[in-house]
Amino acid sequence: ELQQSGPGLVKPSQTLSLTCDISGDSVSSNSAAWSWIRQSPSRGLEWLGRTFYRSNWYSDYALSVKSRITVNPDTSKNQFSLHLTSVTPEDTAVYFCVRERFLEDSYSGMDVWGQGSTVTVSS
Amino acid sequence: DIQMTQSPSSLSASVGDRVTITCQATQDISSYLNWYQQKPGKAPKLLIYEASNLETGVPSRFSGSGSGTDFTFTISSLQPEDIATYYCQQYDNLPTFGPGTKVDIK
């Protein structure tokens, strides 16, 4: 299970920060990646970025947000976070944290989703 | 980025009808294609992974096929609880989603 938390309103130019608590799995799992996805009427479902552990920590980011995004693991709390800087009203969306599953090292989809967090960027 | 298209964008069908949705990728993605169902106000739910594998617990009336650039998702007998929007998602490099197909009852 994934449980999201964070503010629902962010001012333009500030940083959007969300946290996702993991239960029933580990952020350090070798068979998962931990991702953030957002959904808005204008952009649909948009994968933003992920963190994952394969002997070392790695991250991948979508080109559309690469200069503004960080996804970090926190092993002590078994959670991961999203930080998106310099937000504009275009970043208004429902944000989901997601587990990307790997079965026998083969990618097999996004099988666990957080409840979703509505984030509005407005002054 | 690999772009995904879906057709139709919406459809209406009767209970018991066979429903087919197609998804096309802008380049070869082998079988790296998943299908999701999303109901209003809820997170998407994984139905099919690697183009044709039924996720555990998903009814067998749902199925998927295809490889390369062209994929098909089928509901063999539409049920009232299948009213939702369906999305394809590719994973050849970084994930991207199709625009969705909204399914409702005629």
Side-chain angles (χ1 to χ4, degrees):
Chain A
E1 184 181 336
L2 301 177
Q3 184 69 36
Q4 304 174 215
S5 59
L9 180 63
V10 182
K11 289 181 166 48
S13 80
Q14 294 191 343
T15 297
L16 182 162
S17 296
L18 296 172
T19 299
C20 186
D21 291 321
I22 301 166
S23 56
D25 201 345
S26 169
V27 71
S28 303
S29 169
N30 281 303
S31 59
W34 305 97
S35 302
W36 290 95
I37 288 168
R38 68 183 178 185
Q39 184 173 31
S40 64
S42 60
R43 302 172 76 99
L45 284 164
E46 182 182 16
W47 177 88
L48 299 176
R50 65 181 165 219
T51 186
F52 58 99
Y53 184 77
R54 301 289 186 271
S55 302
N56 286 299
W57 285 102
Y58 298 90
S59 59
D60 294 314
Y61 300 121
L63 288 175
S64 61
V65 294
K66 192 169 186 176
S67 62
R68 301 192 290 130
I69 189 174
T70 307
V71 178
N72 288 325
D74 185 334
T75 57
S76 67
K77 296 180 180 178
N78 201 32
Q79 65 182 205
F80 62 108
S81 62
L82 166 70
H83 299 283
L84 187 66
T85 63
S86 306
V87 296
T88 72
E90 287 288 301
D91 295 309
T92 294
V94 177
Y95 286 75
F96 296 97
C97 60
V98 171
R99 182 179 77 175
E100 295 184 75
R101 183 183 64 192
F102 291 80
L103 296 176
E104 299 178 351
D105 293 328
S106 179
Y107 182 87
S108 55
M110 301 175 186
D111 68 331
V112 182
W113 293 66
Q115 79 274 24
S117 300
T118 300
V119 179
T120 302
V121 178
S122 175
S123 54
Chain B
D1 281 4
I2 298 174
Q3 306 300 317
M4 308 300 293
T5 59
Q6 283 182 241
S7 62
S9 56
S10 65
L11 66 89
S12 291
S14 300
V15 173
D17 280 356
R18 184 180 184 87
V19 169
T20 298
I21 298 168
T22 62
C23 177
Q24 189 168 55
T26 52
Q27 63 190 69
D28 190 333
I29 58 170
S30 184
S31 296
Y32 295 130
L33 193 285
N34 306 313
W35 291 96
Y36 299 84
Q37 175 193 67
Q38 187 178 30
K39 297 183 178 181
K42 301 292 188 181
K45 174 186 175 183
L46 178 65
L47 300 181
I48 303 286
Y49 64 94
E50 287 184 77
S52 61
N53 294 293
L54 191 68
E55 178 71 354
T56 302
V58 173
S60 59
R61 65 180 179 274
F62 296 101
S63 65
S65 65
S67 66
T69 61
D70 296 300
F71 300 86
T72 300
F73 173 81
T74 300
I75 307 172
S76 61
S77 177
L78 185 68
Q79 300 302 303
E81 60 267 31
D82 300 336
I83 301 312
T85 301
Y86 293 84
Y87 296 93
C88 60
Q89 173 246 321
Q90 68 80 24
Y91 176 74
D92 182 64
N93 183 11
L94 302 179
T96 55
F97 290 86
T101 296
K102 188 174 182 180
V103 175
D104 63 27
I105 298 288
K106 190 182 295 182

